[in-house]
Amino acid sequence: SVHARSHARIALANIVAFWSALSAGMVDPAGRESDITPFTFSSVELQDVHYQFEALEDESQFDLGPINLRIDRGEVLFVCGGNGAGKTTLTRVLMGHLFPDSGEVDVLGKPPRQHDSETLRRIAYVSDRMELPSRRCLSDILKLNQRFFPNWNSELATRLTNEFGIDPSVVFSRLSLGQKRRAVLLQAVCQGAE
């Protein structure tokens, strides 16, 4: 529909603007200028991937696929579709939260179910339901993340906290819904994933 395409164009424009803002002045953890930009990776590949949800009593069966897709480093993929189209299911298959009924999924050189902690540190993921520790303030959460992610970008975290208008001393549970979403996104972007 025209309404859905309009929303998709606005969302894409916001993503492009956000990416441009992040890419400007990116620095690595040592403080040197870097050509590394967020949201890039070696490759993601799906070959004949099919996933099927079994139907409940009052629902029809949901089938995703077959999907054949390759995304190379530096490419951006914008997935859009209506409710129930399979966007979240596709993401969960890519992350290894769901296993396809058939086909092959390869993320950063191996199937998601074979990812070790080092590989997982190279991947940033934000789900629609993701939360951060509710009783911790954002500054504590970001400091904790710095210990887990060797490529953590503290300078970017500080800049985005300010640009997003989030008070880092406020506990996560007291942030508005919009601030919570921005804080979760900020945490994912600053971890230095591919």
Side-chain angles (χ1 to χ4, degrees), residues 73-151:
R73 184 179 192 100
E75 293 181 330
V76 175
L77 175 68
F78 186 76
V79 179
C80 58
N83 289 339
K87 302 176 298 292
T88 300
T89 301
L90 173 61
T91 303
R92 294 183 70 203
V93 166
L94 285 170
M95 291 303 301
H97 298 167
L98 297 173
F99 302 120
D101 296 312
S102 62
E104 299 294 323
V105 179
D106 181 88
V107 178
L108 298 175
K110 54 181 121 177
R113 74 184 101 188
Q114 294 177 7
H115 287 167
D116 56 16
S117 61
E118 289 304 314
T119 303
L120 290 173
R121 283 188 180 114
R122 297 170 56 199
I123 300 170
Y125 170 68
V126 175
S127 75
D128 59 337
R129 296 184 189 118
M130 186 175 243
E131 294 279 329
L132 297 175
S134 63
R135 296 182 185 183
R136 302 290 300 262
C137 66
L138 184 60
S139 62
D140 288 346
I141 293 168
L142 298 180
K143 285 177 192 169
L144 183 63
N145 278 321
Q146 189 173 7
R147 292 172 47 197
F148 287 107
F149 297 103
N151 294 326

Side-chain angles (χ1 to χ4, degrees), residues 39-55:
F39 311 122
T40 60
F41 35 81
S42 301
S43 74
V44 170
E45 190 164 3
L46 295 96
Q47 294 179 351
D48 297 318
V49 170
H50 183 262
Y51 183 84
Q52 183 177 72
F53 275 110
E54 293 300 320

